[in-house]
Amino acid sequence: MAKGLGGLVTDTGVRDTQELRKLGFPVFSYSVSMKGTVKETVGPMAEPVLIGGEIVRPGDVVRADADGVVVVRREDLKEVIATSRARVDAEDAYTFRRDRGVYSFSKGSWFASSFSTRA
């Protein structure tokens, strides 16, 4: 987009959702509103904001997709990336085995526990 924005996350309502979709501009909002907006004041820049009960600070990473929005604190970013990569690697390994008909029935595996008998 023109200002370098990747999308919008707000805990308010938005309108003109069809036009936003046509623009390809991702918007994650609390609701859709038919009311007009007020653009008389400029909000604060580079200050913490509260969105959906979560404080988002300058430098935090905000990622969103069709399943939701996540905020990662700047100081936690390296750890979150490492943990996320490990999870993706584990899921890829499982998918590789599953696609070849190899399943884990070992005690404690999620597959074995899915079929455990209940008392």
Side-chain angles (χ1 to χ4, degrees):
M1 307 277 32
K3 300 273 184 185
L5 298 175
L8 170 69
V9 178
T10 179
D11 61 357
T12 63
V14 297
R15 64 180 198 158
D16 303 324
T17 58
Q18 289 182 340
E19 287 77 10
L20 290 169
R21 283 189 194 98
K22 288 177 191 174
L23 286 172
F25 187 71
V27 174
F28 299 85
S29 66
Y30 182 77
S31 63
V32 175
S33 176
M34 293 173 46
K35 291 179 99 179
T37 59
V38 177
K39 301 176 185 82
E40 295 176 7
T41 59
V42 176
M45 299 292 289
E47 292 184 21
V49 295
L50 183 65
I51 300 175
E54 185 71 27
I55 295 175
V56 182
R57 299 172 298 168
D60 288 350
V61 175
V62 179
R63 293 289 300 191
D65 65 15
D67 294 324
V69 179
V70 65
V71 177
V72 180
R73 306 271 173 255
R74 179 191 317 196
E75 62 269 17
D76 298 333
L77 191 56
K78 287 182 182 179
E79 179 184 353
V80 169
I81 289 172
T83 303
S84 298
R85 285 182 178 154
R87 181 180 179 138
V88 168
D89 291 347
E91 289 175 356
D92 288 348
Y94 165 76
T95 301
F96 180 84
R97 290 188 308 273
R98 182 205 62 209
D99 291 349
R100 284 153 185 77
V102 179
Y103 298 98
S104 173
F105 290 99
S106 63
K107 185 176 182 180
S109 73
W110 76 266
F111 192 82
S113 63
S114 295
F115 294 97
S116 65
T117 57
R118 298 190 180 164

